[in-house]
Amino acid sequence: MKPETPFDAWKRRRRDAPVPEHFADRVLAGLHPAHPPRPAFGLNTWFAAWLDTPLGKVGVCALGCLACVLRVASLVAVFVPR
Amino acid sequence: MNDDQQAINRVLAGDVDAFRILVVRYEQAVFCAVRNLVPDAGDCEDVAQDVFLAAYSHLGSFDPRRASFVTWLLTIARNTCYRMRQKKRPLLLESLPEGTDRNSPECVVEQEETFRLLDEALAALPFEQRAVFVLAEIQGLPLEEVGTIEGVRLGTVKSRLHRAREKLRRAFRPALEPP
């Protein structure tokens, strides 16, 4: 077995941070049972989830392209005689 | 559905005690991150507690498709520690656990000196490099996961880690040189 280098011993020492006793109890005591977290079902969440899908990304790109085309068309229209 | 998700669903359904499962499971990981990232070791417990309280209040926004629960939790820990970086004081060596047992007192003294140099070098690293080093080298997380926590690309993680290692190596060298 390879002996532990001082650098590894130092890393191990920094990794072995002892957790204080009854830490979980103190965390639980700090929670508000009257206000439990609720699953997020807002419009933002729905939109973010939709954007995360390939279809959402394609949709955003398509909208961007459409806006760009419309803008170019409006510029070109200036030079087209009526 | 994994164990974490089951516990999360129970908490979201109103079973507050189910949060204990998550705290007990990840307190060591959070403590390790916090202890190595906050400037003052005396603040560790308060900061770790804040991390779990923030995780509890935002549990509804946790999305398992984006990252695992521990990655999400460590992201909260990292951001909490980042906000505390203004209180810049050196990491306290005294508050760290005892070093490894060695045979002779000379070895112990030599090792303590090496550890002190490394502690100082770690404390002197810029926060971004320190965070990457702590997550990747001390906590042993995969680099992809470190990138998710830091919100940067894999290449950035690698370069930050490389710079951090170089600085620590420079600090480590005097301890290896004969007097």
Side-chain angles (χ1 to χ4, degrees), chain A residues 1-79:
Chain A
M1 203 174 115
K2 234 171 97 176
E4 190 180 43
T5 64
F7 188 57
D8 289 334
W10 172 75
K11 284 197 291 185
R12 184 169 52 77
R13 189 169 82 147
R14 296 213 71 102
R15 183 165 49 241
D16 295 342
V19 178
E21 271 187 52
H22 310 298
F23 174 71
D25 292 336
R26 285 194 288 281
V27 172
L28 268 284
L31 303 180
H32 300 289
H35 306 288
R38 294 269 168 250
F41 283 125
L43 194 62
N44 287 349
T45 318
W46 179 85
F47 190 65
W50 180 74
L51 269 187
D52 229 24
T53 62
L55 190 66
K57 286 170 185 155
V58 169
V60 169
C61 283
L63 276 176
C65 289
L66 187 65
C68 188
V69 166
L70 286 175
R71 178 70 183 135
V72 170
S74 71
L75 278 174
V76 171
V78 171
F79 302 102

Side-chain angles (χ1 to χ4, degrees), chain B residues 22-153:
Chain B
L22 298 168
V23 176
V24 170
R25 194 173 290 159
Y26 295 116
E27 61 186 4
Q28 182 64 49
V30 168
F31 246 86
C32 179
V34 167
R35 186 158 216 152
N36 285 294
L37 291 176
V38 292
D40 191 338
D43 292 335
C44 276
E45 188 172 344
D46 289 342
V47 175
Q49 202 162 342
D50 287 348
V51 170
F52 280 107
L53 294 181
Y56 175 80
S57 9
H58 297 100
L59 205 57
S61 66
F62 167 67
D63 183 355
R65 289 167 301 178
R66 286 173 176 266
S68 67
F69 182 71
V70 67
T71 303
W72 184 73
L73 197 58
L74 287 174
T75 307
I76 296 174
R78 185 257 183 221
N79 292 339
T80 308
C81 295
Y82 182 76
R83 283 193 293 274
M84 288 197 72
R85 76 196 186 285
Q86 286 89 354
K87 290 170 72 184
K88 227 172 185 172
R89 275 181 276 170
L91 294 159
L92 297 179
L93 183 64
E94 292 78 14
S95 61
L96 289 169
E98 288 301 309
T100 49
D101 292 335
R102 290 294 180 100
N103 299 329
S104 67
E106 290 84 8
C107 265
V108 174
V109 171
E110 195 182 306
Q111 182 170 274
E112 283 305 315
E113 176 61 13
T114 307
F115 286 178
R116 190 185 62 76
L117 288 170
L118 287 167
D119 284 336
E120 283 176 7
L122 181 69
L125 290 177
F127 185 86
E128 287 77 11
Q129 289 175 22
R130 190 163 80 219
V132 166
F133 182 83
V134 166
L135 294 168
E137 284 276 334
I138 295 181
Q139 297 208 257
L141 297 180
L143 295 185
E144 290 80 7
E145 219 168 300
V146 176
T148 308
I149 293 169
E150 289 289 305
V152 293
R153 289 169 179 271

